[in-house]
Amino acid sequence: MTRAVWEAATLRLFDDKYSLVATGPRTHEDWRVDAVAVMKRDFADPRGWSVLDWDRDNAEEMAAHGRAYPFDHPTVELLNQSLHQFDPGTAHPLLVALTDDWCRLRNAPGFPEEQERLFEDARTLLTRYQEPFECYTNLDHVEGNTATDASGLSSSWSSLTQYTGDYGLIVVSDTEIGLFWSFNPI
């Protein structure tokens, strides 16, 4: 895995989607502390790789809503209540589904015509975190069923913003926290 390969896959999947793709260091026993730090932009990518952050320079919104904007005051407790663990083997379709405004795999840009390329880009992003890693999402249909295909149609989620929709994936490895989040402000 190289920086160029990872960044190219990130841009192909998320460059035209209102999203946040960032990785921070894993420094606490409770990974949620590190995930909140990534949401609040209190981190540097451990490898110095690019962060895709549409709101990084949105000083007006950050002044009004805090550094975590568009997240609505994330805390360890909120993540504990809002996120559900699921099978990492189903994470790559979820990453592709995150490119659709309503988190539907079948509506993801380029799907199904470019399904294999999209899945390969998603697998490339996940390869950075080196197995074994854990995966968490705010999509409710995975709760209590770690074998669920997280890319399926979800009609409910635990919102972490004030937007109509926000869908995400957090990848937790021994050394890094990866955050992949898409926002639907409609």
Side-chain angles (χ1 to χ4, degrees):
M1 173 62 60
T2 67
R3 175 183 186 157
V5 169
W6 194 83
E7 290 175 353
T10 300
L11 290 175
R12 281 192 298 270
L13 284 176
F14 290 99
D15 188 43
D16 63 350
K17 174 70 184 148
Y18 180 22
S19 56
L20 175 63
V21 177
T23 299
R26 172 93 187 266
T27 60
H28 295 85
E29 186 174 332
D30 185 347
W31 61 267
R32 291 166 193 85
V33 174
D34 298 315
V36 168
V38 173
M39 292 173 159
K40 290 183 175 181
R41 298 172 177 86
D42 292 338
F43 74 98
D45 184 288
R47 302 179 195 195
W49 295 3
S50 294
V51 172
L52 185 60
D53 182 353
W54 284 53
D55 288 302
R56 176 185 7 236
D57 299 321
N58 194 339
E60 182 178 323
E61 291 292 351
M62 286 190 196
H65 302 285
R67 289 186 331 254
Y69 179 82
F71 295 103
D72 193 20
H73 308 291
T75 63
V76 169
E77 293 78 22
L78 179 64
L79 295 185
N80 193 45
Q81 295 168 4
S82 302
L83 299 177
H84 313 289
Q85 188 172 7
F86 69 98
D87 181 354
T90 63
H92 67 283
L94 175 60
L95 279 177
V96 173
L98 290 176
T99 65
D100 174 60
D101 286 339
W102 297 106
C103 199
R104 295 177 180 155
L105 183 61
R106 69 174 185 266
N107 294 336
F111 196 86
E113 299 83 16
E114 298 180 40
Q115 176 178 345
E116 282 311 308
R117 184 193 58 79
L118 294 167
F119 282 172
E120 186 58 34
D121 282 344
R123 285 185 200 99
T124 295
L125 295 181
L126 294 169
T127 299
R128 171 183 179 154
Y129 304 99
Q130 300 177 350
E131 292 184 31
F133 55 79
E134 296 176 350
C135 291
Y136 297 84
T137 185
N138 65 327
L139 297 172
D140 292 336
H141 75 281
V142 303
E143 185 174 11
N145 184 355
T146 58
T148 300
D149 178 353
S151 68
L153 176 62
S154 182
S155 60
S156 66
W157 59 93
S158 297
S159 185
L160 299 178
T161 70
Q162 295 180 10
Y163 288 144
T164 303
D166 68 270
Y167 320 98
L169 165 66
I170 296 178
V171 180
V172 179
S173 77
D174 289 340
T175 59
E176 296 180 318
I177 300 291
L179 183 81
F180 301 88
W181 223 269
S182 292
F183 309 101
N184 186 352
I186 297 172

